[in-house]
Amino acid sequence: MTMHAQDPDLKEAIGAQADAAFETVQALYRQLHQYPELPFQEHATSTRLAEALEHLGLEVTRGVGGTGVVALLRNGEGPTVMLRGDMDALPIKEETGLDYASTRTAETESGTVPLMHACGHDLHSSCVVGAAAVMAGLKDQWSGTLMLICQPAEEIFGGARAMLEDGLYERFARPDVILGQHNMPALAGTVGHRAGGAMAACTNLAVTIHGAGGHGSMPAQTVDPVVIAAHVVTRLQTIVSRKVPPEETVVVTVGKLHAGTQANIIPHSAELEINIRSFDNALHRQVVEAIERIIRAECEAGRSPTPPEFRVLNETLALHNDPATVERVRQAHGEHFGEANLYAMPRLNGSEDFPYFGNAQAGGFGGEDIPYVYWFIGATPEERWQATPGNGVAEKMRHLEMPHSPYYFPGNAVTLRTGIEAMAAGALAYLG
């Protein structure tokens, strides 16, 4: 009998398969957590994930877009549903106190750095494996193709485009719908959804302002790039206040300004790094263009001998969840978890490269856009949640550790189990 998301027997079937797979998936999660790897260096991580998916009988391909893994579970005629998880870690020293906490380090251009899964990507990729196990155990109850992605380098907004440029959709399948999730410090066991704009576009821009250095006592014989940079920093703040419509949300932050070596030396150059975030891709591009225009003008006004240099460190699109897809997945999650365990996710200024999979046309990879939904699973145990001050999800989360904190730990059993079942229930909303 073909089952649908509203069938109570399907909820029991998903739960039974999740029970059967949970111990193995939890062991995998703890292994990934203990041995994190930086973006595009996830060699051991991707090997462990590929082996786990191969053990389930899926068609697995390694090395897609560098270290990415693609797995297919073909099960007759029907749509193709893609489930995506990321797997890279961060250069942060873990302070969680877990008995399987990371003590690893890595060598980078800036020296030796500690490593930690402080954003829960180990949780996301483990949930993909868990969902694959559930779906493999329910093959007689759905039809179509399940496409599973373990993506590298989300933290530097590089992995999604790398996999697409490596022919992800041409080599494997072009999905009809794309599903993804992220952990947040909401109550464990709950799932949050948001239609439309959910996460911000982001550009990290490096700028070099050129001057003509010399002795600090003779500034008239120099071109001081520090003064030019100071004017740039101040003038950039007028973009949001005077160029952006008041109803829009845009952030322009100069997070790095470096010049010179000591007080009596006027340097030859100044280096800036600028972070830009917004929720509208077209407006975002206009803001980046305004930043470049202002910097060129200030350099000309300051007699800079060489035009400024611009380098995009990394960037990503705004994440806009397809409303119809959100409603379909939310209904499936409501039937599975109960309406009381769903919440309205507030819009986040954080950013993701997940939209590139759906906005393939905007990303320059051809084809029409693919509908997607990216939801959020709670990661705070109930006892901690109840002890946290505030009313409502947004207010309570202000008092809790967020992703990228050295104390952040989303991998409790309830959250892992919720993530597995949320992905399976979402897939079955289209394949059941």
Side-chain angles (χ1 to χ4, degrees), residues 151-195:
Q151 179 210 308
E154 185 281 328
E155 294 292 356
I156 60 172
F157 305 146
R161 282 178 290 179
M163 295 187 80
L164 289 163
E165 289 169 348
D166 200 13
L168 175 66
Y169 294 158
E170 294 78 14
R171 292 169 58 188
F172 302 99
R174 186 177 181 85
D176 296 291
V177 65
I178 304 169
L179 308 179
Q181 64 185 8
H182 201 291
N183 65 90
M184 286 299 290
L187 174 62
T190 62
V191 183
H193 306 85
R194 184 179 183 89

Side-chain angles (χ1 to χ4, degrees), residues 81-104:
V81 174
M82 178 174 139
L83 304 182
R84 175 268 202 177
D86 39 19
M87 57 182 179
D88 55 321
L90 288 157
I92 294 175
K93 186 178 188 308
E94 182 163 357
E95 302 288 355
T96 61
L98 296 168
D99 57 4
Y100 53 93
S102 168
T103 57
R104 297 193 72 234

